[in-house]
């Protein structure tokens, strides 16, 4: 039998960017989502900025808003990254997933395209939040921004990976929404965004050690605040060395994407 | 040349043998139809050929590639139109095609030309910038066919392509499929449970309970029935059946309140029969056989009565 003359192997990267690009195109076309990307961070900042500063007295030895600000970024990233991975469940519901799954491309390229798509949108929203920092009186040294973006991307990838794993196990948007709701609150409260994790009960510490948001919040906080707060306060609120945060986030993303690929293969 | 060779293909779902050691070949350039009621194993077979399902046993070669061992090569060699819609409704027609072309490695320099070619083929060129959400059911189907062709597959698989479409749209879709065959010598493998659509096929395989019960051209299959179909209505059909069975040596089936059987030359046979017959007869019908009759005589069941999903044994009515 003769070899087909028009049989082109598809490069991994091309498959991945094709999947990624579709996520972005769909996002740009959805006005509600674009508007909410901008409105949501502004809302957060107004609520956290004016509300909490007046009502919460802290024994932290620093401005509570400055303490909260990194957590706000992390929370935004988490929300958008999770919500964006719902597209995989939609694809399953509307039949498009079949078109993707029978294409002659590796499943890992599909999972990575989806994850980076969600992570891109989460990072964009985090960037908007970053740009708003001066408005609420948080000072950002321009030299620290590249490092901050790097950690934002890594946190986005981690949460998107987790979202994709959930999405690959769920058949309907409803069940996906429920699981994500169940995950979001404990993840947020156990992340150290609201209170320092240096003096919490053991069980809480174990759980927060598994929580990617913990490492994201810690990294954001260190990049934004280091040098601006007294060392004894820093000692009280910083958890890990920065590279440890980065390694955890990368490792977490990898495990999640691989698990999602396995889940996909099992399901179809 | 055989473009599809299927050998002993089998699929088990737990205790259910959905596809039972099926073997057949499809020639290059023909329209090959898989016909049978829902649950007969048609979609399971097409899913295995398209490498969506892994066979429990047996193998098949498409363009010389094994569906078990060379999945990616098989996927490049086929175009697939699924039973249920599989377009991205939020993208434009052209964006859906571009997505597909890139996943199938269509060279960038060929893409524009091919995109125009396949969209013109299904008369959607003018709508290429429109969001798919605004398309009718028939247009979506046509776009799916265009998408299945853009990577120049050797075989186009259509799984129940006209399901859920109105008769006019169905006929129009068939015009496109026949055009594909005539203009491009495209090999088309399709499943259907519409008997009238099976008539368009060069050859059809009739499937029932996971097995192929007949495989031939529609004309030959009908010829096998032996000429004409006679249908006799009678209020005393049991008595009539007894009498006819005594006189004729052809199997006689009960069909509702009527009896039905095949004879070689119905026009000459019928007047003689009516002179001789003692039991009361209310109405008589003489007609050429259809694929419905072929199915009925092979399985003892009427395909139209099996519309509802039926995984188990159908009622084996009237089979002697």
């Amino acid at each position: 039998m003769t070899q087909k003359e028009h049989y082109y192997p598809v490069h991994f990267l091309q498959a991945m960017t094709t999947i990624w690009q579709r996520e972005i195109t769909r996002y740009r076309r959805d006005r509600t989502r674009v508007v909410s990307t901008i409105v949501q961070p502004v809302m957060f900042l107004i609520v956290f900025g004016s509300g909490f500063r007046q009502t919460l007295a802290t024994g932290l030895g620093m401005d509570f808003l400055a303490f909260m600000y990194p957590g706000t970024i992390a929370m935004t990233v988490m929300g958008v990254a999770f919500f964006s991975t719902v597209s995989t469940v939609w694809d399953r519901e509307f039949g498009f997933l079949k078109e993707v799954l029978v294409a002659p491309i590796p499943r890992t390229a599909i999972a990575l395209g989806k994850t980076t798509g969600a992570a891109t949108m989460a990072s964009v929203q985090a960037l908007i939040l970053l740009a708003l920092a001066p408005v609420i009186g948080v000072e950002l040294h321009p030299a620290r921004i590249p490092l901050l973006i790097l950690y934002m991307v890594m946190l986005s990838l981690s949460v998107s990976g987790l979202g994709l794993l959930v999405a690959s196990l769920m058949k309907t948007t409803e069940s996906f929404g429920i699981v994500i709701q169940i995950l979001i609150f404990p993840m947020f409260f156990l992340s150290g965004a609201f209170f320092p994790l240096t003096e919490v009960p053991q069980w809480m510490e174990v759980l927060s050690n598994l929580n990617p948001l913990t490492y994201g919040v810690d990294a954001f906080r260190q990049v934004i605040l280091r040098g601006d707060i007294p060392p004894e306060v820093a000692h009280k609120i910083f958890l890990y060395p920065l590279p440890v945060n980065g390694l955890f986030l990368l490792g977490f993303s990898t495990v999640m994407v691989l698990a999602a690929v396995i889940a996909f293969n099992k399901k179809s | 040349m055989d473009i599809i060779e299927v050998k002993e293909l089998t699929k088990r779902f737990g205790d259910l043998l959905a596809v039972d050691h099926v073997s057949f070949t499809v020639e290059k350039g023909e329209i090959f139809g898989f016909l049978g009621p829902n649950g007969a194993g048609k979609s399971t077979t097409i899913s295995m050929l398209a490498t969506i399902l892994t066979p429990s046993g047996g193998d098949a070669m498409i363009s010389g590639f094994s569906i078990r061992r060379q999945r990616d090569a098989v996927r490049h060699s086929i175009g697939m139109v699924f039973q249920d819609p599989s377009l991205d409704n939020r993208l434009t027609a052209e964006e859906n095609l571009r997505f597909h072309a890139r996943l199938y490695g269509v060279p960038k320099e060929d893409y524009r030309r091919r995109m125009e070619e396949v969209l013109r083929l299904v008369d959607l060129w003018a709508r290429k910038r429109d969001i798919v959400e605004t398309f009718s059911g028939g247009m979506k189907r046509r776009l799916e066919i265009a998408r299945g062709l853009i990577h120049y597959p050797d075989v186009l698989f259509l799984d129940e392509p006209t399901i859920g479409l109105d008769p006019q749209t169905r006929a129009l879709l068939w015009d496109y499929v026949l055009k594909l065959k005539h203009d491009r010598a495209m090999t088309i493998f399709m499943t259907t449970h519409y008997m009238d659509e099976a008539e368009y096929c060069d050859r059809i395989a009739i499937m029932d309970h996971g097995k192929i019960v007949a495989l031939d051209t529609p004309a030959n299959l009908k010829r096998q029935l032996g000429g004409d179909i006679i249908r006799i209505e009678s209020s005393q059909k049991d008595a009539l059946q007894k009498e006819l069975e005594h006189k004729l040596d052809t199997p006689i089936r009960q069909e509702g309140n009527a009896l039905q059987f095949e004879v070689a030359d119905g026009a000459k046979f019928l007047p003689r029969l009516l002179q001789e017959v003692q039991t009361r007869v209310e109405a008589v019908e003489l007609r050429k056989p259809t694929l419905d009759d072929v199915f009925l005589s092979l399985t003892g069941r009427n395909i139209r009565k099996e519309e509802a999903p039926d995984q188990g044994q159908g009622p084996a009515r009237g089979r002697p």
Side-chain angles (χ1 to χ4, degrees):
Chain A
M1 192 66 66
T2 52
Q3 193 79 6
K4 246 169 78 77
E5 78 257 46
H6 47 275
Y7 170 40
Y8 324 102
V10 181
H11 294 296
F12 188 93
L13 213 60
Q14 178 176 332
M16 187 182 132
T17 51
T18 306
I19 306 274
W20 174 83
Q21 193 172 25
R22 167 171 172 263
E23 299 292 311
I24 305 299
T25 309
R26 282 178 64 102
Y27 168 78
R28 280 194 295 117
R29 208 150 280 168
D30 192 340
R31 287 231 178 82
T32 323
R33 276 171 80 196
V34 174
V35 170
S36 84
T37 307
I38 299 162
V39 170
Q40 206 183 12
V42 176
M43 230 168 56
F44 270 136
L45 286 180
I46 292 170
V47 170
F48 288 129
S50 52
F52 280 118
R53 199 188 311 233
Q54 289 158 17
T55 54
L56 285 175
T58 73
L60 284 170
M62 61 176 291
D63 180 30
F64 185 73
L65 184 66
F67 176 81
M68 269 295 299
Y69 179 67
T72 315
I73 299 179
M75 188 178 175
T76 309
V77 165
M78 175 171 71
V80 179
F82 267 150
F83 184 70
S84 302
T85 50
V86 76
S87 77
T88 303
V89 190
W90 286 339
D91 286 354
R92 195 192 297 282
E93 265 183 90
F94 293 105
F96 191 78
L97 197 62
K98 271 179 298 185
E99 153 79 356
V100 180
L101 292 180
V102 300
I105 55 169
R107 294 277 156 92
T108 322
I110 302 173
L112 277 176
K114 286 277 184 192
T115 310
T116 50
T120 306
M121 290 172 268
S123 304
V124 166
Q125 179 141 15
L127 281 177
I128 295 174
L129 209 52
L130 216 52
L132 291 172
V135 179
I136 54 143
V138 172
E139 263 180 71
L140 273 180
H141 300 282
R144 293 176 183 176
I145 289 176
L147 194 59
L148 199 54
I149 291 173
L150 179 71
Y151 279 95
M152 280 176 181
V153 171
M154 286 196 282
L155 177 65
S156 304
L157 282 173
S158 298
V159 180
S160 308
L162 177 59
L164 186 73
L165 175 60
V166 175
S168 65
L169 296 169
M170 296 297 140
K171 274 205 178 108
T172 63
T173 313
E174 287 82 6
S175 51
F176 175 83
I178 290 166
V179 174
I180 293 301
Q181 283 302 324
I182 291 171
L183 282 173
I184 272 187
F185 286 102
M187 276 178 73
F188 186 56
F189 286 113
L190 292 173
S191 70
F194 270 135
F195 45 84
L197 287 169
T198 38
E199 287 161 35
V200 294
Q202 180 105 43
W203 64 268
M204 217 187 232
E205 202 182 320
V206 172
L207 285 178
S208 60
N209 279 345
L210 296 170
N211 182 359
L213 214 59
T214 306
Y215 299 85
V217 170
D218 189 43
F220 293 171
R221 197 169 273 157
Q222 289 186 43
V223 175
I224 295 174
L225 300 176
R226 189 179 293 280
D228 295 349
I229 53 172
E232 64 273 16
V233 178
H235 180 71
K236 213 158 63 175
I237 60 172
F238 294 168
L239 297 172
Y240 308 101
L242 262 187
V244 172
N245 287 320
L247 278 177
F248 182 90
L249 290 175
L250 282 182
F252 189 87
S253 319
T254 311
V255 171
M256 287 301 127
V257 169
L258 289 179
V261 170
I262 292 169
F264 264 126
N265 286 336
K266 275 241 169 85
K267 235 190 153 82
S268 43
Chain B
M1 192 184 89
D2 291 333
I3 204 150
I4 304 180
E5 288 174 76
V6 181
K7 282 176 222 129
E8 302 282 309
L9 198 62
T10 303
K11 183 68 186 179
R12 251 184 216 92
F13 295 111
D15 284 341
L16 178 79
L17 202 53
V19 176
D20 187 1
H21 298 86
V22 161
S23 300
F24 60 92
T25 59
V26 176
E27 278 168 43
K28 201 170 162 56
E30 74 174 335
I31 300 184
F32 189 92
F34 243 48
L35 183 69
N38 286 327
K42 304 182 309 274
S43 280
T44 308
T45 306
I46 208 170
S47 296
M48 283 192 284
L49 294 181
T51 75
I52 301 162
L53 278 178
T54 312
S56 312
D59 199 357
M61 307 295 278
I62 296 178
S63 294
F65 300 117
S66 158
I67 59 164
R68 304 186 79 130
R69 283 169 285 110
Q70 294 156 292
R71 282 169 38 140
D72 276 359
V74 169
R75 288 171 178 202
H76 272 282
S77 310
I78 63 170
M80 180 82 194
V81 177
F82 298 98
Q83 193 168 337
D84 307 309
S86 64
L87 293 165
D88 188 335
N89 284 334
R90 305 258 181 106
L91 298 185
T92 66
E94 200 258 322
E95 282 167 340
N96 268 287
L97 293 185
R98 195 190 312 147
F99 181 85
H100 185 92
R102 291 193 48 154
L103 289 193
Y104 283 75
V106 173
K108 255 205 176 93
E109 59 274 21
D110 292 351
Y111 168 69
R112 294 233 129 248
R113 181 178 50 78
R114 289 200 200 179
M115 187 258 298
E116 179 170 353
E117 177 194 333
V118 294
L119 279 180
R120 284 196 190 282
L121 189 80
V122 296
D123 285 337
L124 285 174
W125 176 244
R127 304 290 303 263
K128 68 174 188 295
R129 288 206 183 84
D130 294 357
I131 302 277
V132 172
E133 212 159 34
T134 64
F135 283 14
S136 69
M139 287 164 71
K140 285 182 187 171
R141 268 285 121 112
R142 272 147 57 198
L143 181 60
E144 284 178 314
I145 291 177
R147 181 177 70 179
L149 292 171
I150 200 167
H151 59 285
Y152 286 177
D154 293 337
V155 189
L156 183 65
F157 284 95
L158 304 169
D159 192 6
E160 301 273 0
T162 54
I163 210 161
L165 300 180
D166 61 80
Q168 231 175 341
T169 315
R170 272 172 60 191
L172 190 68
L173 199 74
W174 269 103
D175 288 343
Y176 290 110
V177 172
L178 294 173
K179 193 163 87 179
L180 262 180
K181 175 188 150 71
H182 291 126
D183 297 359
R184 309 186 39 162
M186 176 62 75
T187 311
I188 294 160
F189 183 104
M190 60 169 301
T191 67
T192 182
H193 66 277
Y194 293 118
M195 290 291 174
D196 49 335
E197 296 193 341
E199 302 273 359
Y200 291 112
C201 299
D202 295 306
R203 287 191 305 148
I204 52 177
I206 295 182
M207 203 168 188
D208 191 37
H209 297 316
K211 286 193 163 97
I212 291 180
V213 291
L215 196 165
D216 213 328
T217 63
N220 279 347
L221 285 171
K222 284 184 279 187
R223 210 168 293 138
Q224 276 173 14
L225 287 184
D228 300 321
I229 307 273
I230 291 177
R231 188 184 145 91
I232 305 180
E233 272 178 43
S234 168
S235 50
Q236 298 154 288
K237 61 179 176 179
D238 290 321
L240 183 63
Q241 181 167 17
K242 234 180 207 156
E243 192 188 344
L244 291 177
E245 267 166 1
H246 188 67
K247 288 196 169 91
L248 314 166
D249 60 349
T250 171
I252 292 157
R253 289 180 303 272
Q254 293 205 1
E255 259 283 282
N257 63 341
L259 298 176
Q260 190 166 311
F261 54 93
E262 295 101 34
V263 292
D265 188 352
K268 290 209 170 114
F269 173 86
L270 200 54
R272 269 205 330 261
L273 179 80
L274 290 176
Q275 265 177 356
E276 280 178 34
V277 85
Q278 306 290 316
T279 320
R280 190 182 148 81
V281 167
E282 265 101 39
V284 194
E285 185 193 353
L286 166 67
R287 61 185 170 82
K288 293 284 167 205
T290 64
L291 285 172
D292 256 324
D293 301 310
V294 175
F295 187 84
L296 182 67
S297 94
L298 285 168
T299 66
R301 286 172 293 127
N302 192 316
I303 197 167
R304 292 224 184 88
K305 306 235 163 76
E306 311 264 328
E307 295 285 83
D310 170 27
Q311 299 287 327
Q313 299 290 314
R317 285 176 297 108
R319 188 81 176 151

